[in-house]
Amino acid sequence: MTSFDNFEFSFLEEGFCARDIIDQKINESTYSDDKDAFYVADLGDVLKKHLRWARVLPRVTPFYAVKCNDSRAVVETLATLGAGFDCASKTEIQLVQSLGVEPSRIIYANPCKQVSQIKYASAHGVQMMTFDSEVELMKVARSHDNAKLVLRIATDDSKAVCRLSVKFGATLKGSRLLLERAKELGLDIIGVSFHVGSGCTDPETYAQAIADARCVFDMGAELGYNMTLLDIGGGFPGSDDSKLKFEEITAVINPALDKYFPVDSGVRIIAEPGRFYVASAYMLAVNIIAKKVNMKEQSGSDDEDDGTNDRTLMYYVNDGVYGSFNCILFDHAHVTPIVHKKPKPDERMYPCSIWGPTCDGLDRIVELCTLPDRQVGDWLLFENMGAYTVAASSTFNGFQKPDIYYVMSRSAWQCMQQIHAHGMPALVEEQSPGNMPGHCGRESTLELPAKSCAARVL
Ligand SMILES: Cc1ncc(COP(=O)(O)O)c(C=O)c1O
């Protein structure tokens, strides 16, 4: 059983959305000096992703990759919805288990683990774990009483934004040797996993990896293993402005699964989505704390010019690459600022750069963008900031991490409670409330209209 006792969230009133809460908080700060950066995170968006997943990948059970965003609110939302969890460490296992998630809903998906953490998993009933080397097999044989091992294979992730197979994954040839060694050690190998790289841009990588996994299942069968688990990893986009749409990927995955792992094969299929679940749920508001106006070198401009054409602006804001924008360094992210105070139709725009608050020259958020002239105290907003942001941010130079305000609509809350009580319905259709308990079918395509007035938060 899970509860929402450990974090606070506010209900969104009917017709209001997360952006309204941003506006409300900014309005509240107007006459105050307290203009710290903050997030608004819509847990209803996480629910929408869960419904979308069930609709388009019905054969695949999601095990959320906690590393992507380990906020208790996100993990608890997904625990309530019945998702499984991909944990990379003892601390992530502790977090998930502290919410009452049973060990069978956890995969310890780190192929290179510290021995003490393998022992922790063993003592706490976590059996499923990945490996990709002989040394790991020997460690597990010594340190875990009853491991159910999943062999991670390498993929061609050359077209992914963040490559993972440079570090993890056995080749097909290496897989045979590992299966043989595991047999000698008397270890139980229950399946195969892969990761196509985070920010995958080529769906065919999944199809190839699924075909390769089939080869490894067949090798396993030759050695007497009856493998029953396929784990197709992560790599799914977190927002609809990504180059490759989620549905374009699933249109390749589903037929590949049906070809290589048909329903009657009896193989259970799971995945480890991270970014998919959380990226679009988070919006970040940062405040302009300093500003410089630079004059470009004169280039013989005409007499009419009042000089503003030659200006470039440098904005300094109160979160940077050592904080939430670590995604620029670690996740190769490109972020786009939105001015909170809308520009007038004829307002002049300037070439601008945006910098974080620390004393490091590396702390640059945007090298060049076009923005209107804004003042110290004005706000910039960044959408899609939920993935690989808060999870890896630091307080370098003493700058504190932004507060996160969680919100959810009442219908999303009700839908979550119903899924928690009755499970996911067999069919999650896009526009068919009848197939979902309560409001859930409608929720799956729910787009709340943005209102300009302040939302009432309970
Ligand atoms: C083993 C593993 N699984 C899942 C993920 C999540 O990937 P994504 O956020 O691309 O879905 C990662 C990300 O690094 C990972 O290393």
Side-chain angles (χ1 to χ4, degrees):
M1 285 291 286
T2 55
S3 70
F4 279 74
D5 292 343
N6 299 309
F7 71 93
E8 290 181 358
F9 73 94
S10 305
F11 278 122
L12 286 168
E13 286 303 316
E14 187 81 30
F16 290 91
C17 64
R19 172 60 203 260
D20 298 317
I21 306 303
I22 295 255
D23 292 344
Q24 183 186 39
K25 301 251 169 240
I26 288 178
N27 288 342
E28 283 166 5
S29 77
T30 305
Y31 300 107
S32 152
D33 284 336
D34 179 11
K35 294 185 196 298
D36 291 338
F38 66 93
Y39 282 97
V40 172
D42 183 1
L43 298 173
D45 197 72
V46 176
L47 167 68
K48 272 205 261 181
K49 292 288 181 67
H50 194 61
L51 295 171
R52 185 170 169 191
W53 182 284
R55 196 170 63 240
V56 299
L57 271 181
R59 290 190 60 201
V60 184
T61 305
F63 278 53
Y64 171 65
V66 178
K67 63 182 77 68
C68 182
N69 181 331
D70 61 355
S71 302
R72 206 176 170 86
V74 167
V75 176
E76 194 160 354
T77 299
L78 286 165
T80 303
L81 291 170
F85 293 91
D86 149 12
C87 297
S89 63
K90 169 184 168 180
T91 308
E92 289 188 358
I93 294 172
Q94 271 170 340
L95 168 65
V96 169
Q97 291 199 323
S98 74
L99 297 168
V101 173
E102 54 276 26
S104 61
R105 280 165 65 193
I106 296 173
I107 180 163
Y108 189 178
N110 185 341
C112 298
K113 299 169 280 297
Q114 188 173 315
V115 167
S116 62
Q117 304 206 2
I118 299 173
K119 288 183 178 164
Y120 181 88
S122 176
H124 290 81
V126 175
Q127 295 181 312
M128 284 195 288
M129 55 184 60
T130 60
F131 77 100
D132 64 358
S133 67
E134 187 180 343
V135 170
E136 197 70 8
L137 281 178
M138 293 190 299
K139 278 157 58 188
V140 172
R142 282 198 307 268
S143 320
H144 200 296
D145 296 334
N146 198 10
K148 295 186 182 306
L149 286 156
V150 178
L151 171 51
R152 169 123 167 222
I153 57 170
T155 60
D156 172 11
D157 61 0
S158 53
K159 296 193 196 108
V161 179
C162 305
R163 301 187 68 176
L164 299 173
S165 290
V166 289
K167 185 172 179 185
F168 297 115
T171 59
L172 289 185
K173 198 169 154 203
S175 296
R176 177 177 286 277
L177 296 174
L178 289 173
L179 289 167
E180 285 168 356
R181 187 75 184 108
K183 205 74 205 171
E184 285 164 15
L185 291 166
L187 291 167
D188 187 13
I189 304 212
I190 62 158
V192 173
S193 77
F194 60 79
H195 197 303
V196 297
S198 199
C200 171
T201 59
D202 180 7
E204 288 306 322
T205 317
Y206 284 96
Q208 184 59 52
I210 291 167
D212 288 349
R214 178 74 258 168
C215 285
V216 178
F217 268 67
D218 294 344
M219 282 178 206
E222 284 169 26
L223 296 167
Y225 280 116
N226 175 27
M227 293 197 254
T228 53
L229 185 89
L230 172 67
D231 175 355
I232 64 169
F236 307 94
S239 66
D240 283 333
D241 60 10
S242 62
K243 251 199 230 155
L244 187 62
K245 303 280 168 292
F246 181 53
E247 282 73 8
E248 289 176 282
I249 296 180
T250 58
V252 172
I253 290 179
N254 283 325
L257 291 177
D258 290 343
K259 179 171 173 191
Y260 295 105
F261 295 92
V263 176
D264 63 10
S265 67
V267 173
R268 179 184 184 213
I269 302 163
I270 67 170
E272 301 164 0
R275 187 187 308 283
F276 171 80
Y277 268 103
V278 287
S280 58
Y282 280 58
M283 188 184 267
L284 176 65
V286 300
N287 197 255
I288 299 173
I289 56 168
K291 172 186 167 183
K292 286 179 193 159
V293 180
N294 296 324
M295 302 305 289
K296 277 196 265 177
E297 292 294 311
Q298 280 302 319
S299 56
S301 57
D302 63 47
D303 295 339
E304 305 268 304
D305 184 8
D306 58 4
T308 50
N309 278 341
D310 295 322
R311 279 188 201 170
T312 62
L313 306 179
M314 295 171 77
Y315 290 122
Y316 296 73
V317 298
N318 50 3
D319 198 357
V321 303
Y322 287 96
S324 303
F325 293 100
N326 70 80
C327 56
I328 292 169
L329 300 183
F330 298 141
D331 195 34
H332 309 281
H334 296 279
V335 296
T336 308
I338 302 168
V339 280
H340 176 251
K341 222 182 264 169
K342 268 201 183 140
K344 298 189 191 87
D346 55 350
E347 194 165 349
R348 186 169 276 183
M349 305 292 270
Y350 298 90
C352 300
S353 53
I354 305 177
W355 302 79
T358 67
C359 298
D360 190 350
L362 178 78
D363 194 1
R364 185 177 62 198
I365 299 166
V366 179
E367 185 177 359
L368 180 64
C369 60
T370 308
L371 293 175
D373 192 357
R374 288 290 176 268
Q375 311 309 322
V376 167
D378 285 336
W379 295 85
L380 299 178
L381 310 180
F382 292 86
E383 293 177 322
N384 300 320
M385 285 293 289
Y388 305 107
T389 50
V390 290
S393 71
S394 77
T395 56
F396 184 51
N397 277 212
F399 292 105
Q400 298 309 300
K401 299 178 193 179
D403 284 336
I404 306 173
Y405 299 102
Y406 296 100
V407 298
M408 187 174 356
S409 69
R410 281 179 198 281
S411 58
W413 168 256
Q414 283 160 7
C415 180
M416 263 180 63
Q417 299 312 312
Q418 288 176 41
I419 291 174
H420 184 56
H422 306 293
M424 289 288 275
L427 201 61
V428 187
E429 290 206 353
E430 196 161 359
Q431 280 172 324
S432 174
N435 286 320
M436 293 292 294
H439 300 284
C440 290
R442 191 155 43 101
E443 188 70 30
S444 63
T445 51
L446 195 69
E447 291 300 338
L448 296 174
K451 293 236 177 115
S452 53
C453 53
R456 192 160 64 86
V457 186
L458 293 182

